[in-house]
Amino acid sequence: MLVSHELRTKAREEFVDITRTVEEDVRSSGLKEGLCVVYVPHTTAAVTINEDADPSVKEDILRQLKVLVPRDGNYSHGEGNSDAHIKSSLLGVSQIIPIHEGRLVLGTWQGIFFCEFDGPRSRRFYVLLK
Ligand code: ZN
């Protein structure tokens, strides 16, 4: 079962918590045991799993990614968004989460984040339940 979701990001760089949306997909699918794949079909966005209890964690990740991959680096790509492409590859465009007894197997502090690196714009992500 493949579920498509649209979202509208609000900043150039932003982590959007999509945990509840993915949990709802698992619930409504009725799947009890299996795998959940969250996939982002973009070259300047990503999906990651990290702490969603303390919002300063995602802010730290975004800030440190800017240090690692500065926007005005010496890049060949002419669109001015090379940093966003690199960040997308660093974090990756998919995550796999086990499903057990009808629920995502996430740790207490873990959440799933859609990672925008070249917004704001309309985006999409897919949830594959198998
Ligand atoms: Zn580009």
Side-chain angles (χ1 to χ4, degrees):
M1 174 184 183
L2 184 67
V3 188
S4 172
H5 294 280
E6 288 175 22
L7 75 162
R8 177 90 207 163
T9 57
K10 298 181 179 73
R12 181 166 195 266
E13 301 199 339
E14 177 187 12
F15 277 21
V16 182
D17 193 331
I18 57 171
T19 313
R20 302 295 162 260
T21 304
V22 179
E23 282 176 342
E24 186 51 43
D25 288 343
V26 173
R27 223 183 337 266
S28 57
S29 77
L31 185 64
K32 296 302 176 200
E33 303 291 328
L35 292 174
C36 171
V37 177
V38 183
Y39 173 70
V40 170
H42 301 292
T43 61
T44 55
V47 58
T48 196
I49 296 174
N50 215 300
E51 172 159 347
D52 69 354
D54 180 356
S56 65
V57 172
K58 66 180 182 185
E59 288 161 18
D60 285 343
I61 294 171
L62 279 171
R63 192 179 318 109
Q64 200 57 35
L65 280 171
K66 282 184 195 172
V67 175
L68 289 169
V69 190
R71 189 171 182 181
D72 58 353
N74 182 24
Y75 305 117
S76 301
H77 181 56
E79 286 182 326
N81 62 355
S82 288
D83 64 314
H85 287 291
I86 293 167
K87 288 167 191 165
S88 170
S89 279
L90 283 175
L91 270 65
V93 294
S94 66
Q95 293 287 335
I96 302 171
I97 305 124
I99 298 167
H100 179 58
E101 295 177 346
R103 300 193 60 185
L104 291 172
V105 182
L106 285 172
T108 308
W109 309 111
Q110 282 184 315
I112 308 162
F113 294 96
F114 181 96
C115 310
E116 176 64 85
F117 296 119
D118 194 23
R121 50 167 106 186
S122 292
R123 294 297 202 175
R124 179 178 297 278
F125 64 93
Y126 293 101
V127 177
L128 175 67
L129 302 164
K130 202 84 180 168

